[in-house]
Amino acid sequence: MFRLFILLLVSTAELWVAQSTDNVAYHQIRKKYDYKKVNDTTALSYVDLLIALAKKEKNYSELTYAYQDALHFEPSGYRKKLYADSAITSAQHSCNNDLIGSAYLGRGIVSYFIFKDYQPALDDYIKALSYARYSTSPYIKYNILYHLGVMKSYLGYYNEAVSQFEACSAFFRQEILKNNSPDILYNMRKGYYNTLHQLIYCYQQIGDDDSADRLIEIGKREIPKDLDFVQLRSCVF
């Protein structure tokens, strides 16, 4: 679950970085907790400040980011769901397709990974993808497509999942080859390796051992052995 929440936070971070530099007060508050880990409740007092400020200023974009930050740090599944609902409402007020898609993705992740409530999660992933088609950020589209593939593979629709994971793999691979910043490169590598893991599993389930073995060899060559990727290597091999 931690890895999947990280993928969500990467997509939202990509949205708020540029805006936050123009909104100094929000940026200064967020600096107080942006290094903290998932479910670290010590961040919530600062997130509450962001929520209050965004509500006061009717800044629905920043309010959406704050609610998404809150569901990241809140350990209670029930309260995560409330924050995810609030993120969708504020995102809709922002009229920003990127934010709306990301907010639906967030609620889908909570439904799927916290409550094992699969149909609402699937509905939210599909809604997220419908907004992502108009997104200015291709990462958001492929991040949503990845989660939709995870859902379909869990439900046994392996061939459909393979199609989506192959599209994600091609995108992440292409981004890795670009001259991106270290942070973006790290995130794209994470996305690529996670997708390889999912593809290997799906190929094995449909009996395509040749494709699975080919990707395992790619993983052995390319996934680093350092601590950041040790869990991924253990999943793939």
Side-chain angles (χ1 to χ4, degrees), residues 36-230:
K36 295 181 183 290
K37 298 184 182 297
V38 174
N39 295 341
D40 186 342
T41 57
T42 62
L44 290 174
S45 60
Y46 298 110
V47 178
D48 286 342
L49 289 176
L50 272 187
I51 291 172
L53 178 61
K55 282 183 175 180
K56 179 181 178 181
E57 296 185 348
K58 295 184 178 180
N59 187 330
Y60 295 112
S61 295
E62 287 289 354
L63 185 57
T64 304
Y65 305 141
Y67 282 133
Q68 290 177 320
D69 287 351
L71 75 87
H72 180 67
F73 294 114
E74 172 58 58
S76 162
Y78 173 73
R79 290 191 61 80
K80 281 183 187 291
K81 179 66 161 51
L82 292 179
Y83 284 130
D85 289 341
S86 296
I88 290 173
T89 300
S90 57
Q92 289 171 333
H93 282 300
S94 78
C95 299
N96 182 320
N97 287 321
D98 291 355
L99 276 179
I100 299 171
S102 180
Y104 274 111
L105 172 62
R107 190 170 71 179
I109 289 173
V110 172
S111 295
Y112 179 54
F113 291 99
I114 303 294
F115 294 102
K116 311 302 180 186
D117 205 350
Y118 303 123
Q119 189 58 52
L122 182 59
D123 291 343
D124 278 340
Y125 289 161
I126 291 171
K127 286 179 184 176
L129 193 59
S130 72
Y131 284 101
R133 296 188 192 282
Y134 305 100
S135 173
T136 58
S137 169
Y139 180 86
I140 293 173
K141 172 185 174 182
Y142 287 101
N143 191 22
I144 294 168
L145 202 61
Y146 170 88
H147 285 282
L148 192 54
V150 171
M151 164 71 79
K152 289 188 174 181
S153 67
Y154 186 86
L155 295 175
Y157 302 121
Y158 300 115
N159 287 299
E160 292 181 32
V162 162
S163 176
Q164 291 169 337
F165 288 138
E166 285 179 340
C168 293
S169 175
F171 168 74
F172 289 126
R173 182 69 177 173
Q174 183 182 45
E175 292 299 307
I176 288 171
L177 297 175
K178 292 181 180 179
N179 187 24
N180 284 314
S181 70
D183 286 343
I184 293 176
L185 178 60
Y186 175 82
N187 292 330
M188 294 303 171
R189 290 169 74 192
K190 276 276 193 179
Y192 178 60
Y193 301 146
N194 285 332
T195 305
L196 282 185
H197 172 223
Q198 296 294 337
L199 271 172
I200 290 167
Y201 171 75
C202 289
Y203 281 136
Q204 289 171 337
Q205 295 305 307
I206 62 178
D208 189 350
D209 292 333
D210 288 342
S211 294
D213 290 343
R214 176 177 56 83
L215 293 185
I216 288 172
E217 290 304 313
I218 290 175
K220 286 180 179 178
R221 291 197 307 270
E222 297 188 11
I223 300 178
K225 296 180 180 180
D226 57 48
L227 289 176
D228 286 339
F229 298 98
V230 66

